[in-house]
Amino acid sequence: MEEVLKANKRQKEFYNSTREAKKSLPTKLWFSLRNKFLDPFRRTFDIKSRVYEQHKIWLGDLSDKKILDLGCLRGNALSLYMAKNAKEYIGIDLSDRAIEDLNKKLRKADCHRAKALAVDFLSTDFEEKDFDIIYAYGVLHHFENLEILIERIKQKLKIGGTVISYDPLDTSAPVKILRKLYRPFQSDKDWEWPFTKRTMKEFEGHFKIEEVRGILGKSKYGLLINLLPLKASYKEKTIKKLIEDDWYAQDPEQVYHCMQVTMLFRNT
């Protein structure tokens, strides 16, 4: 635990700083390529908004729910929605600067039953518990030690409570190769641990997995399809079909071909 908390302190310093200055050149290039190609692709085909809409469905009626927005940073697209509609909302993040910004947003939106705290989820300083929902958007893969993470989630979540997660996967062969080549130069590698098959099995062993959605499996090849000299209508139809195939995959193994996964799981 001591080593984990030390790594989290380094992570805190990274996110409290001007992150661009902390990034290595390979990391800057990686982000530049992602912003140039992948992010526009996700926006064009509403992949990101699809995830948020599914999360809204999974959240359900929040009027009697106590929610933890874990690793919220400055708040994502659903943070204020949760803060306004939940019985009680607590957002936590390592970054003091990010939490200060989120608290300003909460005050401006008159979210009287909401607060944001700069605290480590694993630290004894974080004493809140009995959450109905833990919302973890792009967060759980920052924990290298799954045993400690799972134990902490179970301590903080009510029996019958749910976790909504969204994380990158390290299970697709081409993505796995790219990540392996990039990792030695990655600025934030100490707290970046994309889900492996083992990760998924660990969660399955400790929680009831109720729903799983894969993102950018077959559809990641849509980036290449877009470059082909084909009719725009044909390319759009083909890519949309691939996105649907990923999202509604019947074979659990198909999720492992995806770049990201979002899950709803329950503490039993």
Side-chain angles (χ1 to χ4, degrees):
M1 175 64 85
E2 185 179 347
E3 290 302 313
V4 172
L5 294 176
K6 282 181 181 178
N8 286 354
K9 284 183 180 179
R10 294 197 299 274
Q11 186 178 174
K12 178 185 179 82
E13 290 167 4
F14 181 83
Y15 285 106
N16 271 338
S17 68
T18 303
R19 281 184 287 170
E20 286 303 315
K22 291 274 189 176
K23 289 177 183 176
S24 64
L25 180 58
T27 299
K28 288 179 181 178
L29 289 173
W30 175 272
F31 274 78
S32 176
L33 288 170
R34 191 180 73 178
N35 292 339
K36 186 175 181 180
F37 296 106
L38 189 56
D39 287 352
F41 180 79
R42 289 192 293 193
R43 284 194 299 271
T44 299
F45 292 96
D46 293 324
I47 293 173
K48 203 165 188 176
S49 59
R50 173 191 286 252
V51 173
Y52 283 130
E53 286 304 312
Q54 185 63 58
H55 288 178
K56 258 191 179 182
I57 293 170
W58 286 347
L59 286 167
D61 181 4
L62 299 177
S63 59
D64 62 344
K65 299 293 191 295
K66 181 179 181 180
I67 294 182
L68 173 63
D69 193 354
L70 176 59
C72 57
L73 204 60
R74 291 169 176 81
N76 75 359
L78 290 183
S79 293
L80 287 182
Y81 170 82
M82 293 187 289
K84 288 177 181 178
N85 292 283
K87 180 181 179 181
E88 185 177 358
Y89 167 94
I90 300 173
I92 68 169
D93 196 86
L94 293 170
S95 171
D96 307 273
R97 294 175 63 179
I99 287 300
E100 184 180 348
D101 290 345
L102 179 54
N103 271 319
K104 287 177 183 176
K105 292 178 186 177
L106 294 174
R107 288 193 293 269
K108 187 175 180 180
D110 291 325
C111 298
H112 302 296
R113 301 183 303 277
K115 63 182 178 182
L117 306 170
V119 66
D120 189 333
F121 179 59
L122 300 180
S123 169
T124 55
D125 293 336
F126 182 55
E127 299 178 344
E128 293 280 354
K129 58 182 181 178
D130 294 327
F131 290 98
D132 297 288
I133 299 171
I134 294 179
Y135 184 71
Y137 187 95
V139 177
L140 299 186
H141 71 282
H142 290 313
F143 297 84
E144 180 185 7
N145 191 308
L146 287 178
E147 184 179 345
I148 290 174
L149 171 62
I150 289 170
E151 181 183 356
R152 193 65 166 163
I153 289 173
K154 284 187 167 290
Q155 287 173 356
K156 297 299 182 181
L157 194 62
K158 287 181 179 177
I159 296 296
T162 57
V163 178
I164 297 171
S165 67
Y166 174 84
D167 292 277
L169 285 166
D170 192 25
T171 53
S172 167
V175 175
K176 196 169 185 176
I177 292 168
L178 285 173
R179 286 191 183 280
K180 191 169 184 178
L181 292 172
Y182 164 58
R183 189 167 181 83
F185 312 100
Q186 187 178 352
S187 301
D188 53 356
K189 63 183 177 183
D190 287 347
W191 49 87
E192 284 285 332
W193 304 96
F195 285 7
T196 63
K197 288 186 178 183
R198 174 182 169 270
T199 310
M200 299 290 283
K201 296 297 182 185
E202 284 287 334
F203 283 114
E204 288 175 12
H206 290 87
F207 301 95
K208 180 183 179 184
I209 309 297
E210 299 203 334
E211 291 193 51
V212 178
R213 295 283 187 270
I215 302 104
L216 294 171
K218 295 177 181 178
S219 56
K220 63 178 171 286
Y221 300 110
L223 290 163
L224 299 176
I225 292 172
N226 263 337
L227 300 175
L228 297 175
L230 302 170
K231 285 186 178 180
S233 59
Y234 175 79
K235 288 194 285 189
E236 181 181 3
K237 181 180 178 181
T238 301
I239 293 169
K240 284 184 175 179
K241 174 65 166 56
L242 294 175
I243 291 170
E244 293 295 309
D245 287 347
D246 293 336
W247 191 254
Y248 294 108
Q250 297 298 312
D251 180 4
E253 288 294 315
Q254 189 172 325
V255 173
Y256 293 135
H257 295 288
C258 295
M259 292 178 66
Q260 289 112 27
V261 64
T262 185
M263 297 190 290
L264 172 69
F265 53 93
R266 191 174 299 278
N267 189 21
T268 55

